[in-house]
Amino acid sequence: MKALLLLALITVSEATIGVFVKLSDGLIPVQTLTFYAMAFAAVFLFIARALASREWPRFPRGNVKDTVIIGALIAAQGGVFNYAMTLVPIANAVIFWSIAPFFVFIFSALFLGEKAHKRYIGIFVIALAGIAVANPLSGGHTLGNLVALATGAIYAAMITYMRYEGKTETGNDIAWSLLAAALVLSPSLLLVGPGKVSATISYPGLGISVPVMLWVGGLGVISTGFAYFGISIVLKVLNANVYSLVDIIVSPVVATTLGYLVFAEVPARSTIYGAVLLLGAGFWLTREMSRGAKNRAAHPCQIASHHT
């Protein structure tokens, strides 16, 4: 029960990414915003892991290359996804990102030699129908929708790399990978600037002004740091594919709901219908691919051990 409650909190925290990105109101360039988020997340994870285990996370001496590569992919995925959030409603970004399981399947078949079963054809047809119905090239959000689709491909590349390297257990490496992600993104401070870090955003209806860095901190600590920390705990109790199956449905639904409640974003009817088909097909594909592979990597938290 505790694991399921934590899983619910994790899905909510992941779903807040778009909310915090949009609340920052463009005062921080999105590349720098992502850098700050990764830095906040890394610091949070180092402290949280130290408090939880009563020891400072050890430097992954024998796993530096993999840790850095995963960090670079996290940086790319986070930066592209946050950029998509600045272009489209939250619902669009999370729905089109949900193409990730299909990219995982394609990359795994191409690079890992994982067998493609005939029954997958029907699943792909449903997914393609979902994309066609959602129509990413319509509604004035073409660029943002395509960027969100690209995010799914980057995330899938990360998962495929983890499977290639045999990363199937949780550990402390994720904190170091997030630090690597922050370092990869750090040139944005010079290229696009640090942003208006001292600015405040006024909310006349509430009668308050909020420092923009509060939302930046929320993106790093709540949306990223807490999510990764919680997942590393949950994956010790639930197998990776149970988490993945829940997350693939719940997070987009929660994110879409938050977009409506906070920003009054109402997805187009075609987007909703397409989402039902796409998310359902993604859930089905993930379930089929997970059979007989209970510990298969499904999240970047699973990067601790190398099995040869």
Side-chain angles (χ1 to χ4, degrees):
M1 182 61 70
K2 290 182 179 179
L4 292 176
L5 177 60
L6 182 56
L7 182 56
L9 292 174
I10 291 166
T11 55
V12 172
S13 69
E14 289 180 320
T16 61
I17 292 174
V19 172
F20 286 122
V21 169
K22 289 180 180 294
L23 284 174
S24 65
D25 204 25
L27 294 173
I28 309 289
V30 68
Q31 302 92 333
T32 305
L33 176 68
T34 308
F35 160 71
Y36 289 145
M38 295 301 173
F40 276 119
V43 171
F44 172 83
L45 270 179
F46 278 120
I47 295 173
R49 297 296 299 185
L51 292 176
S53 62
R54 297 189 177 182
E55 63 177 7
W56 195 254
R58 294 188 297 274
F59 183 77
R61 295 183 184 280
N63 200 32
V64 174
K65 183 189 78 171
D66 295 336
T67 300
V68 171
I69 291 174
I70 295 294
L73 289 169
I74 289 175
Q77 192 265 344
V80 175
F81 190 55
N82 290 344
Y83 178 53
M85 286 292 182
T86 66
L87 299 173
V88 296
I90 292 173
N92 290 48
V94 296
I95 288 167
F96 287 112
W97 174 88
S98 297
I99 196 69
F102 298 93
F103 280 114
V104 170
F105 166 74
I106 293 169
F107 292 162
S108 296
L110 289 175
F111 301 111
L112 304 183
E114 294 185 2
K115 187 177 180 181
H117 298 284
K118 291 182 179 179
R119 62 178 177 272
Y120 293 169
I121 296 175
I123 302 175
F124 266 81
V125 170
I126 295 173
L128 291 174
I131 295 175
V133 171
N135 196 357
L137 302 180
S138 69
H141 298 302
T142 299
L143 176 59
N145 291 339
L146 293 178
V147 170
L149 287 169
T151 306
I154 297 170
Y155 187 85
M158 175 167 53
I159 297 301
T160 305
Y161 178 79
M162 289 158 52
R163 290 182 179 176
Y164 170 73
E165 290 299 316
K167 307 298 182 294
T168 56
E169 298 189 18
T170 60
N172 293 328
D173 285 8
I174 189 60
W176 293 100
S177 285
L178 285 169
L179 179 59
L183 292 175
V184 168
L185 292 163
S186 61
S188 63
L189 290 170
L190 296 176
L191 296 175
V192 296
K196 300 177 181 178
V197 294
S198 61
T200 59
I201 302 173
S202 178
Y203 298 96
L206 300 176
I208 60 173
S209 293
V210 176
V212 67
M213 290 304 290
L214 177 66
W215 304 132
V216 176
L219 178 63
V221 175
I222 298 174
S223 303
T224 310
F226 175 78
Y228 279 122
F229 180 63
I231 293 164
S232 70
I233 295 174
V234 163
L235 289 177
K236 293 179 180 179
V237 181
L238 303 176
N239 78 58
N241 294 298
V242 171
Y243 159 75
S244 186
L245 288 169
V246 172
D247 187 59
I248 202 171
I249 295 294
V250 177
S251 284
V253 172
V254 174
T256 299
T257 302
L258 290 175
Y260 171 73
L261 294 175
V262 179
F263 303 106
E265 294 179 347
V266 180
R269 187 170 298 179
S270 60
T271 302
I272 295 174
Y273 292 155
V276 171
L277 292 172
L278 182 58
L279 296 178
F283 179 92
W284 188 5
L285 178 64
T286 302
R287 185 173 181 274
E288 289 291 328
M289 291 183 66
S290 69
R291 289 183 178 182
K294 293 183 178 180
N295 292 318
R296 176 178 285 169
H299 193 276
C301 274
Q302 299 174 271
I303 59 173
S305 59
H306 182 81
H307 300 284
T308 56

